[in-house]
Amino acid sequence: MDRPDWAPKGVDTEKASAARLYDFYLGGSYNFEVDRELGRKVAEVAPGVYDFALLNRAFLRRAVRYFQSQGIDQFLDIGSGIPTAGNVHEVAQKANPDARVVYVDNEPVAAAHSELLLEGNPNAVAIEADLRDPDHILHHEKTRRLLDFSRPIGLLTVAVYHFIPDSDDPLGLLARYRAALPSGSYVALSHVTTDVMSTQIEQLIGLYRNSQNPVIARTKAQFTAMFDGFDLVEPGVVFTPEWRPESPEDAGEHPEEAAVYAAVGRRP
């Protein structure tokens, strides 16, 4: 396909990417036909995928507000995706204009449009980098300029680790990020599972197999293990709409239909 004018040079327009698919599910416009085609196929086998994305985004916003209620004023969002309404800096800086945010994504479209969105915002920056390279992210000039690692940080890695296979050692990666976080820091994670709605999720996984970002579902026990070294914040590991909903209606009658676990941990 022809590369749209807004697409960075060198971006792969032949294979769907997780960031652009997420943008499609959220109603965004920074995606290619290859993404929309796969997104529509995913929606056929897993009609709840649009809700999965919206509920996950809502969890991210609640996590940011919770971090702020605990005194956090600096955030590292890895796997941040393409800028859409309700980004971390929008939520955080609405409450505290001095809040600082570093966005990280390995998708060129996501990184490029984050940079455009943040022009003129001295307290938020974007980096094109991969979660699997903690040293590069943690020691990047932009990260070190904006974040003070002598004070607690809020790390958000939302709906990302289900793209990290066991061969890339997700627990080891989390341990490296945990080691870099000061005491009193927080981490927020979410992760797709086949513990519920297994047929739909397995079909979704099958469709993602030939994208740039194949999906790996994990069980509740496997997800909980990701918080080794952190103290889980109440209510612990739950489905996304159950994590500190703002009203009972937000959790709904069938929160398990989100098919995504969520939790927040505090580094002692």
Side-chain angles (χ1 to χ4, degrees):
M1 63 168 283
D2 293 335
R3 183 175 61 84
D5 292 341
W6 51 260
K9 291 181 179 179
V11 67
D12 187 349
T13 63
E14 301 299 321
K15 273 192 171 185
S17 84
R20 299 193 309 261
L21 277 163
Y22 196 56
D23 178 66
F24 169 72
Y25 299 143
L26 290 170
S29 56
Y30 292 110
N31 47 74
F32 304 143
E33 180 54 34
V34 68
D35 306 302
R36 296 188 287 275
E37 182 180 350
L38 180 55
R40 288 189 287 266
K41 288 180 180 178
V42 170
E44 287 177 9
V45 302
V49 70
Y50 300 107
D51 288 335
F52 298 168
L54 289 168
L55 291 168
N56 194 70
R57 196 73 179 182
F59 161 66
L60 177 138
R61 291 193 294 268
R62 295 197 303 276
V64 169
R65 288 194 287 267
Y66 174 77
F67 287 176
Q68 289 189 294
S69 75
Q70 303 304 302
I72 301 294
D73 63 1
Q74 47 181 356
F75 304 84
L76 177 59
D77 183 2
I78 304 178
S80 51
I82 293 168
T84 54
N87 264 345
V88 172
H89 77 281
E90 292 176 334
V91 177
Q93 292 178 353
K94 182 178 180 180
N96 176 6
D98 294 325
R100 298 186 167 212
V101 181
V102 175
Y103 289 111
V104 181
D105 205 286
N106 67 347
E107 216 288 336
V109 172
H113 285 281
S114 293
E115 287 182 353
L116 285 174
L117 179 74
L118 299 172
E119 281 184 359
N121 188 332
N123 290 331
V125 297
I127 299 169
E128 184 179 341
D130 196 301
L131 167 72
R132 292 166 292 189
D133 191 356
D135 289 341
H136 178 60
I137 292 171
L138 293 168
H139 298 287
H140 195 284
E141 179 272 331
K142 289 183 179 180
T143 306
R144 290 290 161 172
R145 173 166 53 85
L146 216 59
L147 304 184
D148 178 359
F149 279 79
S150 71
R151 299 190 300 110
I153 292 169
L155 172 63
L156 300 132
T157 320
V158 174
V160 181
Y161 275 97
H162 48 230
F163 299 115
I164 305 296
D166 290 342
S167 58
D168 284 330
D169 190 16
L171 296 183
L173 289 170
L174 274 160
R176 290 169 69 184
Y177 285 107
R178 183 183 66 244
L181 294 175
S183 175
S185 295
Y186 287 84
V187 62
L189 306 176
S190 63
H191 199 298
V192 74
T193 186
T194 51
D195 287 353
V196 294
M197 302 175 68
S198 58
T199 300
Q200 284 192 33
I201 303 304
E202 289 290 359
Q203 289 178 298
L204 178 153
I205 290 170
L207 287 169
Y208 267 76
R209 197 159 286 136
N210 292 320
S211 75
Q212 295 178 37
N213 311 99
V215 173
I216 301 91
R218 292 186 171 96
T219 65
K220 185 175 185 178
Q222 289 172 317
F223 179 64
T224 303
M226 293 182 171
F227 289 87
D228 181 45
F230 292 97
D231 296 330
L232 276 173
V233 171
E234 289 294 331
V237 174
V238 293
F239 292 106
T240 45
E242 295 179 297
W243 198 87
R244 295 179 176 256
E246 292 168 355
S247 72
E249 292 75 24
D250 288 343
E253 294 184 5
H254 298 285
E256 74 281 357
E257 291 183 359
V260 175
Y261 286 125
V264 166
R266 180 183 185 276
R267 192 188 190 288

